[in-house]
């Protein structure tokens, strides 16, 4: 993120044609924001170095980065409300602040999963009951995250006059992507119910580690397809804000939820899961299916 700040300001300083996208027709760059962003960029570089070196991240440095990103996000939002053509800055800063918040939550060890989202092994092997709960989860989650929230975001985007996009066939392309990814997600759910003896709901997690079907190629097909569905909805509605919402969701899931899920699976299945996690990617597919020597296994998504 620090290098992104440096690249951004370099483009602003060297290319006047780049400035109107973020600051409108004003030719003068805000010096105070340059100072804030310089400090933020330095803090982000230090954080990145500490993470790569597996050193404890300084809370003071992280607080400085958070403050800088927060100020930048607030300024981008203020400018975009005054001049709707400047919405690009808000989208970029929303991703940045999501990343910083995710790092805070991950480093502080804060659990953002509770209630029905806690990672607990299913106590029931009844396939019919597991299917009913799975279908109920799909209806609720899709309705909330792929219908209600996107509709609210698109409405806010239109009310503010922020840029949207339109091209022939975008609705078919977007809905086609969302439907295809939804079908893959349902297929992954079927594997969890029929093979894993559980559901995709964390509090009703599988009793056997699922490493077959889609899970032989990618560790988290339901997370991946869910994010892709969000992008598809954004494309169908011509909304950059919804696409940004999907990207931010991916960042939060990867930083804050995935480590908790993997720790739970490691505690439950030990070396069997460790071998699986080392062999199968999380965000892309391996071509050759994974083969486990241990038939007794479990997975949540």
């Amino acid at each position: 993120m620090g290098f992104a700040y440096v690249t951004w300001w370099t483009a602003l300083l060297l290319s006047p044609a780049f400035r109107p996208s973020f600051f409108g027709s004003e030719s003068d760059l805000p010096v105070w924001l340059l100072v804030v962003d310089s400090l933020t960029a330095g803090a982000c570089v230090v954080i990145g170095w500490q993470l790569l070196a597996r050193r404890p991240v300084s809370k003071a440095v992280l607080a400085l980065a958070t403050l800088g990103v927060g100020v930048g996000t607030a300024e981008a939002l203020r400018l975009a409300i005054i001049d709707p053509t400047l919405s690009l800055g808000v989208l970029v800063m929303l991703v940045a602040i999501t990343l910083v918040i995710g790092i805070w939550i991950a480093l502080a060890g804060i659990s953002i999963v509770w209630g029905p989202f806690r990672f607990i092994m299913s106590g029931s092997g009844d396939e019919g009951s597991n299917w009913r709960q799975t279908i109920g989860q799909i209806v609720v989650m899709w309705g909330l995250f792929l219908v209600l929230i996107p509709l609210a975001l698109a409405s806010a985007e239109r009310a503010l006059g922020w840029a949207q996009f339109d091209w022939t066939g975008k609705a078919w392309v977007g809905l086609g992507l969302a439907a295809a990814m939804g079908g893959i997600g349902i297929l992954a759910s079927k594997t969890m119910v029929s093979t894993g003896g559980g559901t995709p709901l964390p509090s009703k997690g599988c009793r056997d580690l699922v490493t077959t079907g889609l899970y032989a190629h990618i560790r988290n097909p339901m997370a991946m397809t869910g994010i892709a569905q969000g992008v598809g909805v954004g494309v169908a509605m011509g909304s950059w804000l919804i696409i940004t919402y999907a990207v931010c969701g991916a960042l939060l899931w990867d930083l804050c939820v995935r480590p908790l899920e993997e720790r739970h699976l490691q505690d439950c299945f030990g070396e069997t899961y460790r071998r699986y996690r080392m062999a199968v990617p999380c965000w892309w597919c391996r071509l050759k299916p994974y083969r486990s020597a241990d038939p007794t296994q479990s997975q949540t998504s």
Side-chain angles (χ1 to χ4, degrees):
M1 189 189 298
F3 291 116
Y5 269 106
V6 171
T7 303
W8 182 64
W9 273 103
T10 301
L12 288 174
L13 294 170
L14 298 182
S15 176
F18 184 68
R19 299 173 192 173
S21 298
F22 296 94
F23 299 104
S25 58
E26 300 177 7
S27 58
D28 294 333
L29 292 175
V31 177
W32 68 269
L33 190 58
L34 173 59
V35 174
V36 170
D37 282 356
S38 297
L39 294 173
T40 305
C44 290
V45 170
V46 171
I47 292 170
W49 174 79
Q50 290 174 331
L51 290 173
L52 289 173
R54 299 186 181 277
R55 292 190 172 193
V57 175
S58 167
K59 290 185 178 180
V61 175
L62 186 54
L64 177 60
T66 306
L67 177 62
V69 174
V71 168
T73 303
E75 178 64 8
L77 182 60
R78 183 187 73 83
L79 291 173
I81 291 175
I82 296 172
D83 183 353
T85 64
L86 306 182
S87 58
L88 176 60
V90 177
L91 302 180
V92 172
M93 292 310 300
L94 283 176
V95 174
I97 199 166
T98 298
L99 182 58
V100 171
I101 291 173
I103 292 174
W104 260 116
I105 293 173
L107 293 179
I110 299 172
S111 175
I112 64 171
V113 292
W114 59 85
F117 298 103
R118 293 174 301 160
F119 293 107
I120 303 174
M121 190 178 297
S122 175
S124 170
D126 179 16
E127 188 168 329
S129 174
N130 288 338
W131 261 121
R132 288 191 293 273
Q133 293 180 67
T134 297
I135 293 171
Q137 180 198 356
I138 289 173
V139 171
V140 172
M141 299 292 277
W142 286 13
L144 177 62
F145 291 107
L146 299 176
V147 178
L148 295 181
I149 293 178
L151 283 174
L153 292 175
S155 297
E157 200 173 30
R158 286 192 295 270
L160 291 168
W162 289 359
Q164 294 183 308
F165 58 91
D166 189 22
W167 39 270
T168 304
K170 70 174 175 60
W172 290 107
V173 171
L175 292 177
L177 174 62
M181 292 297 103
I184 294 174
I186 291 175
L187 184 61
S189 299
K190 179 180 183 299
T191 304
M192 296 180 75
V193 173
S194 60
T195 304
T199 79
L201 193 66
S203 62
K204 302 288 184 179
C206 295
R207 298 188 299 171
D208 299 316
L209 182 63
V210 178
T211 61
T212 59
L214 290 172
Y215 289 94
H217 299 274
I218 183 170
R219 289 208 311 275
N220 297 92
M222 295 187 68
M224 184 273 292
T225 54
I227 299 302
Q229 282 180 281
V231 172
V233 171
V235 171
M237 300 183 72
S239 171
W240 291 113
L241 186 58
I242 294 175
I243 293 175
T244 303
Y245 152 76
V247 173
C248 291
L251 289 174
L252 282 179
W253 185 87
D254 191 65
L255 288 168
C256 305
V257 178
R258 182 175 62 84
L260 299 176
E261 178 187 42
E262 292 181 349
R263 193 177 307 132
H264 165 73
L265 294 173
Q266 180 70 45
D267 290 342
C268 290
F269 307 108
E271 182 62 19
T272 301
Y273 176 71
R274 190 193 70 80
R275 289 196 303 268
Y276 171 71
R277 181 170 60 84
M278 294 297 293
V280 181
C282 176
W283 285 112
W284 61 87
C285 294
R286 69 178 257 162
L287 296 179
K288 183 179 180 181
Y290 174 78
R291 303 293 183 190
S292 173
D294 187 347
T296 323
Q297 308 165 2
S298 179
Q299 168 88 9
T300 59
S301 178

